[in-house]
Amino acid sequence: MTKRMIIMLILVGLLFGGIFGFQAFKARMVKKFMSSRGMPPQTVSTIRASMQPWQRQLEAVGSLQAVRGADLAPEVSGLVVKIRFKSGQEVKAGALLVELDASSDRAKLQALKATAEFAEQTWRRDRQQFRAHSVSQATLDADMANLKSSRAQVAEQQALLDKKFIRAPFAGRLGIRAVDLGQYLHPGAKIVTLQALDPIFVDFYLPQRTIRQVALGQSVTVRVDAFAGKTFAGKISAINPRVDQDTRNIRVRATISNSDHLLLPGMFATTDIEVGRPQPRVTLPQTAISYNPYGNIVYLVKQKGKGRDGRPRLVAEQKFVTTGATRGDQVAILKGVPPGSVVVTSGQIKLHNGTPVLINNSIEPANDAAPAPRDE
């Protein structure tokens, strides 16, 4: 190796050494500068943790069903000659809704009645003759059989005539009319839907593991999106004796009073069933929890001495917590947050252990056990 190469290697080493030394010096100076000035506080909102009675609930989703509901249709064919209802009308049981053309059926009924009357007269006359020993017992028996047959034909024709008049089988509210005057109806053609709205059923499914927590007569609270903030009370009226093999869920039915007819069949509903007795729990807004694969954490606000201005210096302290059930915007804390602790509810993304904080609670996150949508 020549002398020139050795000198070049020395110069290159000095150059790189100077560069790395300058970077290290710069990093030390920045760190010293930051430590001398102090990290600026991060603005957060907080809440003071407190014990509240926590009622365990089973929540499920389901659908509303009418106690009695049917799509009314004729049993026989015929031409619509009269429509005696309006769409959306409340009707009583037995109310006449639609009349089909029954002129030929009435005429046939009159003919059969005449035949039955003649058969009865013949039987009466032969009975008198039988008493005078003028006719045989066989003749009298034939007259009676003929009379019974005639009367049966009259009853059959009367039943057929009655089917031309479609009536409400129970009291309820009619839907939108599906027929028009002069329309020819075939058997089974839909005329209108009829729904009994008070009371009303809600059917929902629960996991099989919860079956021991529900019983007949247990109270149920029902909520629907159509009436935000309003709840409807009911009671469990039936529990299916069979678990669905595909989902391992069991079907439960509750009966709800619906005297104002706000609830309608087919509505989506959320049900809450209270189980057990209320237990005291520390509750926090769900926004206070940072959910992570390795554990859920919260940030507590602690006082660490005083700042240069003499005011208390507040810093964030990270805590792992054990969370329980949720209820609306709230979550129950089973372990990790003692009552009275000041907990950060927003702004956690900027925090780590020891970060100075500045509290601003002018805007607080939602903390409602039963939140409802707001129209703004």
Side-chain angles (χ1 to χ4, degrees), residues 122-123 125-144:
T122 301
W123 174 75
R125 184 172 55 252
D126 287 348
R127 186 178 61 174
Q128 293 177 356
Q129 295 294 327
F130 175 76
R131 291 172 180 173
H133 304 285
S134 299
V135 296
S136 64
Q137 180 67 44
T139 301
L140 190 62
D141 292 342
D143 292 341
M144 176 55 69

Short mmCIF file of all heavy atoms in Angstrom, two decimals, residues 122-123 125-144:
data_model
loop_
_atom_site.label_atom_id
_atom_site.label_comp_id
_atom_site.label_asym_id
_atom_site.label_seq_id
_atom_site.Cartn_x
_atom_site.Cartn_y
_atom_site.Cartn_z
N THR A 122 -144.73 -33.16 1.73
CA THR A 122 -144.94 -34.57 1.35
C THR A 122 -144.75 -35.47 2.56
O THR A 122 -145.54 -36.41 2.79
CB THR A 122 -143.95 -34.96 0.24
OG1 THR A 122 -144.14 -34.12 -0.89
CG2 THR A 122 -144.15 -36.42 -0.17
N TRP A 123 -143.72 -35.18 3.35
CA TRP A 123 -143.48 -36.01 4.54
C TRP A 123 -144.62 -35.87 5.55
O TRP A 123 -145.07 -36.88 6.12
CB TRP A 123 -142.17 -35.57 5.17
CG TRP A 123 -141.88 -36.26 6.47
CD1 TRP A 123 -141.47 -37.53 6.66
CD2 TRP A 123 -142.03 -35.68 7.78
NE1 TRP A 123 -141.35 -37.81 7.99
CE2 TRP A 123 -141.71 -36.66 8.71
CE3 TRP A 123 -142.44 -34.42 8.22
CZ2 TRP A 123 -141.75 -36.43 10.08
CZ3 TRP A 123 -142.47 -34.20 9.59
CH2 TRP A 123 -142.13 -35.20 10.51
N ARG A 125 -147.76 -35.09 4.93
CA ARG A 125 -148.96 -35.75 4.39
C ARG A 125 -148.85 -37.27 4.50
O ARG A 125 -149.81 -37.95 4.92
CB ARG A 125 -149.15 -35.35 2.92
CG ARG A 125 -150.44 -35.93 2.31
CD ARG A 125 -150.70 -35.35 0.91
NE ARG A 125 -149.55 -35.54 0.01
CZ ARG A 125 -148.77 -34.58 -0.39
NH1 ARG A 125 -148.96 -33.34 0.02
NH2 ARG A 125 -147.74 -34.85 -1.21
N ASP A 126 -147.69 -37.82 4.17
CA ASP A 126 -147.52 -39.27 4.25
C ASP A 126 -147.51 -39.75 5.69
O ASP A 126 -147.89 -40.90 5.97
CB ASP A 126 -146.23 -39.69 3.55
CG ASP A 126 -146.34 -39.59 2.03
OD1 ASP A 126 -147.49 -39.41 1.55
OD2 ASP A 126 -145.30 -39.65 1.35
N ARG A 127 -147.08 -38.88 6.61
CA ARG A 127 -147.11 -39.29 8.01
C ARG A 127 -148.55 -39.47 8.48
O ARG A 127 -148.85 -40.41 9.25
CB ARG A 127 -146.40 -38.24 8.87
CG ARG A 127 -146.26 -38.64 10.32
CD ARG A 127 -145.50 -37.61 11.12
NE ARG A 127 -146.16 -36.31 11.11
CZ ARG A 127 -145.77 -35.26 11.81
NH1 ARG A 127 -144.67 -35.35 12.57
NH2 ARG A 127 -146.42 -34.12 11.76
N GLN A 128 -149.44 -38.56 8.06
CA GLN A 128 -150.85 -38.72 8.40
C GLN A 128 -151.44 -39.98 7.75
O GLN A 128 -152.22 -40.71 8.38
CB GLN A 128 -151.64 -37.49 7.95
CG GLN A 128 -151.25 -36.23 8.73
CD GLN A 128 -152.00 -35.00 8.23
OE1 GLN A 128 -152.75 -35.09 7.25
NE2 GLN A 128 -151.81 -33.87 8.89
N GLN A 129 -151.03 -40.25 6.50
CA GLN A 129 -151.52 -41.46 5.83
C GLN A 129 -150.98 -42.71 6.52
O GLN A 129 -151.67 -43.74 6.57
CB GLN A 129 -151.07 -41.44 4.36
CG GLN A 129 -151.68 -40.32 3.52
CD GLN A 129 -153.18 -40.50 3.37
OE1 GLN A 129 -153.70 -41.62 3.30
NE2 GLN A 129 -153.90 -39.37 3.32
N PHE A 130 -149.75 -42.62 7.04
CA PHE A 130 -149.17 -43.78 7.72
C PHE A 130 -149.95 -44.10 8.98
O PHE A 130 -150.15 -45.28 9.33
CB PHE A 130 -147.70 -43.49 8.04
CG PHE A 130 -147.04 -44.57 8.85
CD1 PHE A 130 -146.65 -45.76 8.25
CD2 PHE A 130 -146.80 -44.39 10.22
CE1 PHE A 130 -146.03 -46.75 9.01
CE2 PHE A 130 -146.20 -45.38 10.96
CZ PHE A 130 -145.80 -46.57 10.37
N ARG A 131 -150.39 -43.06 9.68
CA ARG A 131 -151.20 -43.29 10.88
C ARG A 131 -152.53 -43.96 10.55
O ARG A 131 -153.08 -44.70 11.38
CB ARG A 131 -151.44 -41.97 11.60
CG ARG A 131 -150.17 -41.38 12.23
CD ARG A 131 -150.44 -39.99 12.76
NE ARG A 131 -149.22 -39.41 13.36
CZ ARG A 131 -149.12 -38.16 13.78
NH1 ARG A 131 -150.19 -37.35 13.66
NH2 ARG A 131 -148.00 -37.73 14.30
N ALA A 132 -153.02 -43.68 9.34
CA ALA A 132 -154.29 -44.32 8.90
C ALA A 132 -154.02 -45.64 8.17
O ALA A 132 -154.93 -46.22 7.57
CB ALA A 132 -155.04 -43.38 7.97
N HIS A 133 -152.73 -46.09 8.20
CA HIS A 133 -152.33 -47.34 7.58
C HIS A 133 -152.58 -47.33 6.08
O HIS A 133 -152.85 -48.38 5.47
CB HIS A 133 -153.05 -48.55 8.21
CG HIS A 133 -152.85 -48.63 9.70
ND1 HIS A 133 -151.68 -49.04 10.29
CD2 HIS A 133 -153.71 -48.32 10.74
CE1 HIS A 133 -151.79 -48.99 11.62
NE2 HIS A 133 -153.05 -48.55 11.91
N SER A 134 -152.39 -46.13 5.47
CA SER A 134 -152.60 -46.03 4.01
C SER A 134 -151.29 -46.11 3.23
O SER A 134 -151.30 -46.40 2.02
CB SER A 134 -153.31 -44.71 3.66
OG SER A 134 -154.58 -44.65 4.28
N VAL A 135 -150.13 -45.78 3.91
CA VAL A 135 -148.82 -45.91 3.27
C VAL A 135 -147.92 -46.73 4.17
O VAL A 135 -148.18 -46.87 5.39
CB VAL A 135 -148.20 -44.53 3.00
CG1 VAL A 135 -149.03 -43.72 2.01
CG2 VAL A 135 -148.00 -43.76 4.30
N SER A 136 -146.87 -47.24 3.57
CA SER A 136 -145.96 -48.10 4.31
C SER A 136 -144.89 -47.28 5.04
O SER A 136 -144.69 -46.09 4.77
CB SER A 136 -145.28 -49.09 3.36
OG SER A 136 -144.46 -48.38 2.44
N GLN A 137 -144.20 -47.96 5.95
CA GLN A 137 -143.09 -47.34 6.67
C GLN A 137 -141.95 -46.96 5.70
O GLN A 137 -141.28 -45.94 5.88
CB GLN A 137 -142.56 -48.30 7.74
CG GLN A 137 -141.40 -47.75 8.56
CD GLN A 137 -141.82 -46.58 9.45
OE1 GLN A 137 -142.87 -46.63 10.09
NE2 GLN A 137 -141.01 -45.52 9.47
N ALA A 138 -141.76 -47.77 4.66
CA ALA A 138 -140.71 -47.48 3.69
C ALA A 138 -140.96 -46.17 2.97
O ALA A 138 -140.04 -45.39 2.71
CB ALA A 138 -140.60 -48.63 2.68
N THR A 139 -142.24 -45.90 2.66
CA THR A 139 -142.58 -44.64 1.99
C THR A 139 -142.29 -43.46 2.91
O THR A 139 -141.74 -42.43 2.49
CB THR A 139 -144.05 -44.63 1.59
OG1 THR A 139 -144.31 -45.73 0.70
CG2 THR A 139 -144.42 -43.33 0.90
N LEU A 140 -142.65 -43.61 4.19
CA LEU A 140 -142.41 -42.54 5.15
C LEU A 140 -140.91 -42.31 5.34
O LEU A 140 -140.45 -41.16 5.42
CB LEU A 140 -143.06 -42.89 6.49
CG LEU A 140 -143.10 -41.76 7.54
CD1 LEU A 140 -143.92 -40.58 7.02
CD2 LEU A 140 -143.67 -42.28 8.86
N ASP A 141 -140.10 -43.39 5.37
CA ASP A 141 -138.65 -43.25 5.51
C ASP A 141 -138.04 -42.56 4.29
O ASP A 141 -137.11 -41.74 4.41
CB ASP A 141 -138.01 -44.63 5.70
CG ASP A 141 -138.39 -45.24 7.05
OD1 ASP A 141 -138.85 -44.48 7.94
OD2 ASP A 141 -138.23 -46.47 7.23
N ALA A 142 -138.54 -42.88 3.12
CA ALA A 142 -138.04 -42.24 1.91
C ALA A 142 -138.35 -40.75 1.90
O ALA A 142 -137.53 -39.93 1.47
CB ALA A 142 -138.64 -42.93 0.67
N ASP A 143 -139.56 -40.41 2.40
CA ASP A 143 -139.91 -38.99 2.49
C ASP A 143 -138.98 -38.23 3.45
O ASP A 143 -138.57 -37.11 3.17
CB ASP A 143 -141.37 -38.84 2.95
CG ASP A 143 -142.36 -39.32 1.91
OD1 ASP A 143 -141.96 -39.42 0.73
OD2 ASP A 143 -143.52 -39.59 2.26
N MET A 144 -138.64 -38.86 4.58
CA MET A 144 -137.75 -38.22 5.55
C MET A 144 -136.35 -38.03 4.96
O MET A 144 -135.73 -36.98 5.13
CB MET A 144 -137.69 -39.04 6.83
CG MET A 144 -136.71 -38.50 7.86
SD MET A 144 -137.01 -36.76 8.30
CE MET A 144 -138.57 -36.93 9.20
#
